[in-house]
Amino acid sequence: MLRLLRLLLLLLLLPPPGSPEPPGLATLSPGAPPQAPDLLYADGLRAYSAGAWAPAVALLREALRSLDELGRTRRDCGARCAAEAALPDAPGPDPPPGAAPGAWERLLLRAALRRAECLSQCAARRLGPGGAARLRVGGAVRDAFRRREPYNYLQRAYYQLKKLDLAAAAAHTFFVANPTHLQMREDMAKYRRMSGVRPQSFRDLETPPHWAAYDSGLELLGRQEAALALPRLEEALQESLAQLESCRAGCEGPEELQREEEEEEEGPGSQGGLYEAIAGHWIRVLQCRQRCVEETATRPGRSFPVPDFLPSQLRRLQEAHAQVGNLSQAVENVLSFLLFYPEDEAAKEALNQYQTQLGEPRPGLGPREDIQRFVLQSLGEKRQLYYAMEHLGTSFKDPDPWTPAAFIPESLREKLREDQEQRPWDHEPPQPKPLTDWKDVLLLEGVTLTQDARQLNGSERAVLDGLLTPAECGVLLQLAKDAAEAGARSGYRGRRSPHTAHEHFEGLTVLKAAQLARAGAVSTQGAKLLLEASERVRTLTQAYFSPERPLHLSFTHLVCRTAIKGEQEQRMDLSHPVHADNCVLDPDTGECWREPPAYTYRDYSGLLYLNDDFQGGDLFFTEPNALTVRAQVRPRCGRLVAFSSGGENPHGVWAVTRGRRCALALWHTWAPEHREQEWTEAKELLQEPGEKEEEEVEEEGDDEEEDMPSRDPAPEPPGRRPPRGQDKTGKLPRVREEL
C-alpha cells in the first residue's frame, strides 16, 4: 500500500504532457524529506520493466535526489555537531595533580554520547522520523549508484517519452563513468545520428564541481589567459576540499559500518571487547578518510587518480598569480605547496624570487589556512594508522607520496617503499632504445626512409615509402570497393563515422576478406595481398623499432573514409579526433592513462596508405595537449607511417572534405597472447580452398578503432538484448581480442 501511494504521489509530480523539461534532473518535490533510495530504485526498475516509462523516470529521479540529500544531510549535521559537541583534548603524558583515574575516559565517552545525540536529532529534523537509520542504503544499491546505473535506465525511459535531449544527457552521464560499456557506446552513436538531438545535449549530469572548474581553469591556462583562469582554479581547489570533506563525512555513516560487516575483516574489531571494537571501527573510519584523497582525485570512469592532485593545483595557482602580478597570493600558494614538499627546490627558488620582488618582509603572509588544516588533519590520521600498523597488525596503503618519512615507523619503511614503487601511476614510461642504423635493417627492395623521428619532431615515429606499387594499391582499393558492395562492411556498415557526421566509414578485416574470397564476392588475389601487405608492415616495423624483440600483429583493418557531398561547407571537426593508441589521452593534464578502454597491449602502430586522390585526410601528430601540431604527413600510395602507440605520439586525422581515403591500419604487440588469431585463420582459409567456409564473425570497427553500432535505429533497453555469447546454433562464436 505504501509503495502504491508513493507511486501515485510521484505521478502527480510529473509535468503535464508537452511542458518543457527543466535542464538536468531537477528536484521533483522541493522541501520534501527524502525517501529510502533503495526502495525508490527498486520501484523504478519495476516500473521500467513494465514499460511504465513516466513513473520509472519519476521514481529513478527521486531516488537520485534522495541519495544526494542523504549525503548532504550527513555532511551538514557532522559539521554542526562537531562544533556543538566537541570531544575533549587528550591528556598530556603528565596528568595534572589530583586528577582522578579514568577522568578523561569518562569525559570522552560522555562527549561521544552528546555527539551521537546531536547527530540523531539533526538527521531527524532533516530526514524525518528515524533519520539516517531509516534511509540506510545497502551495499549492492550503493555500488549501483556509484556506477551511475540509474542513468542507464533513464536514457531508455526518456527515449520512449520522446525526450531525446534528456535521453542523450542520461546516456552520456552513464557512459562517462562506464567507458567500456559496449551497449551504451552503440546507443551514444545512435543518439548522435538523430536529428532531434543537439550537440549540447551530451553533458554529464553528475560532473563533480571540482572537475568542471579544474578542466575549465586548465583550458584557460593553456590559452595563456591566466587572469581568467585564476577564479576557476581557485574554485577547483575549494570544491576539491569540499568534496574531500563530503567523502570524509560519509566514512562515519552507517554504510561504512555495514561495509565492515560485509567484508568481515580480521582485526582488532573482531576480537571482542569494548576497546578492541572501538579501535577497530575507528581504524576503518581513518582508512576510509584517507581513501577520500584518491576518490576525489579520480575522474569518473578512470581507474587511477591524478597524482598529487592538491599540490599540483597549488602550483598552478602560484604560477597563475605570478603571471598576473599577484605576488602576495603567489607567495601564499607556494608556501602552501611547501607544506607538502618542504624540500622542493623549484618551489623554494620561486618563493625567494617572489619575496625579493615584494621587498619588505610581510609577517602576516603565510600558507593558506584551508591547506594547513587539511595537512595537519591528514598527518594526524596517518600517525594513528601507522601506529595501528606497527602495534595492532592492521593494514594501510598511504595514498600520498608527500607523507614525511618521520611519520612512518622504521620497521615499516622498507615494505612501504616497495609498495609505493609498485603503484602503476608512478611508473615512468620506458626510455626508447637507440635505433639501429636504417641501412642495416633495410629488408625490402625499393623501400626508402622518407622522414625519421627528428624530422617529424617527435620520438619513435617514421615515414617509409615504397611498400606497395601503384598496381598493388589498385588491387587493395578494388578489394575494399568489392567488399563494400557485397555488404561486408565489418566496421560501421557504410554508415556515418562515429567520429564525425560528415563522413562515411567502411572497414574490412583479413578474415572477412578471406571469407568473401572463398564465396567469390571479392578476388582471391586482393585477399592474399591484404595478408602480404600486413606482414610487410610488421617486418619493417620490427626491423626499424624493435630489432631485438619480435612484434606480432594484434589487429589489421582496411579502412575507407568518404566525404559526404553537400555537408562540407564550413566544416570544423576532424575525421578522427586526437588520441593515443594504447592509453586514454587527457589533453588537460597532458597525461595518458594506460588503462581500459584503451587497448593497453598495443606497442606500435602503422598506417599504410593506398591513395591520395582526395582532399584533406592528412595524418598529424600533436603535443600531449592535443592542440599544438608538431608534424603532418600527406597520404600517398605505398606510404607507411609507423610509430609507437603510447602517449608520446598523440595523433589525429584532418577532415576528408572530398573523395575517398583508404588505408590499412595495423597495430603490433610484444605480447604473443594478443597475436591476431584471425590473421592465421585467414591465411589457412586462403591456402585451403576445399575447406568448408567458416562461420562469419561479428567484427568490431576501430580507429579506425570504435565498436560497431547495433543495427536497430533506436537504443535497446539495458539488459533487454540477448547475450552475444551464442549464435543461433548455440555455439560460442569467435570474438575479436579487442572486445
Side-chain angles (χ1 to χ4, degrees):
M1 185 64 181
L2 180 61
R3 288 179 178 171
L4 179 60
L5 291 174
R6 183 188 297 119
L7 180 59
L8 292 174
L9 173 63
L10 292 172
L11 282 172
L12 292 174
L13 294 171
L14 283 173
S19 63
E21 189 76 27
L25 299 177
T27 298
L28 289 178
S29 45
Q35 303 179 64
D38 51 355
L39 296 180
L40 288 166
Y41 185 51
D43 289 347
L45 296 188
R46 291 190 186 95
Y48 177 92
S49 299
W53 308 116
V57 166
L59 288 161
L60 292 171
R61 287 175 54 177
E62 188 66 10
L64 290 164
R65 185 192 76 88
S66 294
L67 188 67
D68 183 65
E69 179 61 27
L70 181 60
R72 188 181 302 108
T73 296
R74 184 170 294 137
R75 181 178 64 251
D76 295 346
C77 289
R80 175 181 175 182
C81 294
E84 293 182 3
L87 300 177
D89 295 330
D94 299 321
W104 178 78
E105 176 185 287
R106 289 192 293 274
L107 289 174
L108 175 63
L109 294 177
R110 189 178 299 121
L113 291 174
R114 287 199 299 269
R115 176 77 65 89
E117 178 188 19
C118 176
L119 290 170
S120 177
Q121 291 177 352
C122 179
R125 287 193 297 270
R126 294 278 296 268
L127 305 175
R134 177 178 60 88
L135 304 180
R136 178 184 294 191
V137 181
V141 175
R142 186 172 61 244
D143 291 340
F145 277 85
R146 188 178 294 114
R147 295 191 304 269
R148 302 187 180 182
E149 290 289 350
Y151 292 98
N152 195 0
Y153 297 95
L154 277 169
Q155 66 98 9
R156 173 63 174 174
Y158 275 128
Y159 176 82
Q160 293 294 332
L161 294 172
K162 311 301 182 186
K163 299 181 182 296
L164 297 183
D165 281 343
L166 284 175
H172 182 75
T173 302
F174 176 80
F175 188 64
V176 165
N178 301 272
T180 59
H181 196 282
L182 300 182
Q183 177 64 59
M184 188 57 74
R185 181 178 294 187
E186 294 176 3
D187 291 350
M188 289 282 289
K190 284 183 276 192
Y191 283 125
R192 287 193 177 96
R193 294 194 296 268
M194 294 178 183
S195 58
V197 179
R198 300 169 297 172
Q200 57 267 34
S201 300
F202 296 96
R203 61 192 188 279
D204 186 1
L205 303 173
E206 291 281 342
T207 299
H210 66 286
W211 282 120
Y214 180 79
D215 292 338
S216 175
L218 290 187
E219 181 181 355
L220 291 168
L221 274 184
R223 300 205 300 258
Q224 304 300 316
E225 299 178 7
L228 296 177
L230 274 172
R232 300 297 286 159
L233 293 174
E234 182 64 37
E235 180 186 355
L237 182 59
Q238 294 299 323
E239 290 293 348
S240 297
L241 293 171
Q243 181 66 26
L244 276 168
E245 286 305 309
S246 177
C247 176
R248 290 166 59 84
C251 293
E252 300 178 15
E255 288 82 7
E256 190 60 29
L257 179 60
Q258 180 181 354
R259 181 179 299 175
E260 296 175 22
E261 298 169 353
E262 293 170 352
E263 293 175 353
E264 296 181 352
E265 295 179 348
E266 290 296 326
S270 64
Q271 298 172 3
L274 172 64
Y275 295 101
E276 291 87 345
I278 292 175
H281 183 59
W282 178 238
I283 288 168
R284 291 186 179 94
V285 169
L286 294 178
Q287 291 170 336
C288 174
R289 288 179 176 179
Q290 288 288 303
R291 287 195 298 269
C292 287
V293 174
E294 292 181 343
E295 292 185 18
T296 303
T298 303
R299 291 179 181 273
R302 297 288 174 81
S303 301
F304 300 125
V306 173
D308 269 346
F309 190 48
L310 289 181
S312 66
Q313 292 188 63
L314 290 168
R315 186 185 289 278
R316 289 189 174 94
L317 275 168
Q318 161 222 321
E319 294 170 350
H321 278 298
Q323 288 179 29
V324 300
N326 298 336
L327 295 183
S328 297
Q329 288 85 348
V331 169
E332 182 182 69
N333 283 284
V334 74
L335 286 172
S336 302
F337 178 87
L338 287 169
L339 293 177
F340 296 95
Y341 293 103
E343 302 302 323
D344 187 88
E345 292 299 330
K348 290 193 290 186
E349 182 180 343
L351 177 61
N352 291 333
Q353 177 185 344
Y354 301 150
Q355 289 175 336
T356 302
Q357 292 175 335
L358 283 172
E360 298 180 359
R362 303 192 180 186
L365 206 55
R368 302 170 57 116
E369 292 185 3
D370 50 5
I371 297 299
Q372 289 187 71
R373 283 195 304 270
F374 169 78
V375 171
L376 290 174
Q377 187 179 55
S378 182
L379 289 177
E381 293 169 354
K382 293 176 191 294
R383 190 186 296 275
Q384 297 178 64
L385 286 167
Y386 282 123
Y387 180 91
M389 282 186 71
E390 185 179 25
H391 298 284
L392 300 179
T394 60
S395 61
F396 169 53
K397 184 177 181 181
D398 196 332
D400 299 310
W402 55 265
T403 303
F407 276 71
I408 305 173
E410 187 68 34
S411 59
L412 300 175
R413 289 180 189 175
E414 185 61 32
K415 181 180 183 303
L416 292 173
R417 190 178 297 113
E418 294 175 359
D419 292 344
Q420 206 168 42
E421 289 173 355
Q422 293 174 1
R423 296 188 303 183
W425 58 86
D426 285 338
H427 288 174
E428 292 292 332
Q431 296 299 318
K433 297 180 179 179
L435 296 179
T436 307
D437 185 78
W438 173 242
K439 295 179 181 178
D440 296 336
V441 297
L442 184 59
L443 301 179
L444 295 177
E445 184 178 355
V447 175
T448 58
L449 175 64
T450 305
Q451 290 177 289
D452 58 15
R454 181 183 57 82
Q455 294 166 310
L456 291 169
N457 299 317
S459 64
E460 292 208 277
R461 57 179 77 154
V463 176
L464 312 172
D465 279 318
L467 268 77
L468 295 172
T469 65
E472 289 175 326
C473 289
V475 170
L476 291 176
L477 288 170
Q478 188 63 43
L479 173 68
K481 180 180 179 182
D482 293 343
E485 292 175 353
R489 305 174 182 92
S490 66
Y492 294 90
R493 306 191 181 277
R495 296 184 180 182
R496 293 177 187 258
S497 167
H499 310 299
T500 171
H502 306 291
E503 296 175 16
H504 284 302
F505 185 101
E506 297 170 348
L508 181 68
T509 60
V510 289
L511 181 57
K512 180 64 69 175
Q515 291 172 334
L516 289 171
R518 284 287 302 274
V522 301
S523 73
T524 303
Q525 178 193 9
K528 288 184 176 180
L529 181 57
L530 183 61
L531 287 173
E532 182 183 341
S534 63
E535 179 59 19
R536 290 182 197 174
V537 172
R538 187 203 64 78
T539 301
L540 283 174
T541 304
Q542 176 179 311
Y544 192 82
F545 292 111
S546 184
E548 299 177 359
R549 190 174 181 184
L551 283 175
H552 310 277
L553 283 166
S554 71
F555 188 36
T556 307
H557 204 202
L558 176 54
V559 176
C560 293
R561 304 165 182 268
T562 306
I564 299 176
K565 294 181 180 180
E567 297 189 13
Q568 305 301 318
E569 292 294 329
Q570 298 181 338
R571 181 177 170 185
M572 301 295 291
D573 62 346
L574 298 173
S575 179
H576 196 105
V578 177
H579 63 285
D581 286 343
N582 70 7
C583 52
V584 180
L585 183 65
D586 186 350
D588 296 327
T589 63
E591 300 286 344
C592 203
W593 305 93
R594 197 156 182 174
E595 60 186 56
Y599 303 121
T600 56
Y601 51 83
R602 291 176 173 173
D603 296 299
Y604 287 94
S605 306
L607 293 166
L608 179 58
Y609 296 108
L610 304 183
N611 65 321
D612 60 3
D613 53 340
F614 52 87
Q615 285 186 356
D618 288 7
L619 177 76
F620 62 92
F621 294 95
T622 73
E623 295 283 0
N625 63 10
L627 296 174
T628 307
V629 176
R630 299 287 295 164
Q632 184 165 314
V633 181
R634 176 62 187 171
R636 57 180 290 185
C637 168
R639 170 165 287 177
L640 170 67
V641 183
F643 49 92
S644 57
S645 303
E648 66 278 3
N649 280 316
H651 57 283
V653 179
W654 294 118
V656 179
T657 56
R658 190 177 70 184
R660 188 168 185 250
R661 171 193 186 270
C662 293
L664 187 58
L666 310 101
W667 292 270
H668 313 279
T669 178
W670 282 319
E673 63 271 19
H674 289 293
R675 181 188 293 116
E676 185 176 24
Q677 298 300 322
E678 290 183 358
W679 195 95
T680 304
E681 294 179 32
K683 183 177 180 180
E684 294 174 352
L685 194 59
L686 291 171
Q687 286 178 343
E688 301 177 21
E691 182 183 354
K692 181 180 178 181
E693 181 176 347
E694 299 188 24
E695 297 175 3
E696 292 190 0
V697 181
E698 180 182 358
E699 296 291 338
E700 110 243 310
D702 205 300
D703 206 31
E704 333 183 24
E705 65 191 82
E706 293 285 338
D707 293 292
M708 181 170 37
S710 51
R711 300 182 184 180
D712 193 313
E716 287 288 325
R720 286 284 185 90
R721 284 193 171 187
R724 296 186 180 184
Q726 295 184 349
D727 61 14
K728 296 179 180 179
T729 65
K731 296 181 181 179
L732 291 174
R734 295 183 301 276
V735 182
R736 281 219 45 78
E737 60 185 82
E738 273 74 35
L739 291 178

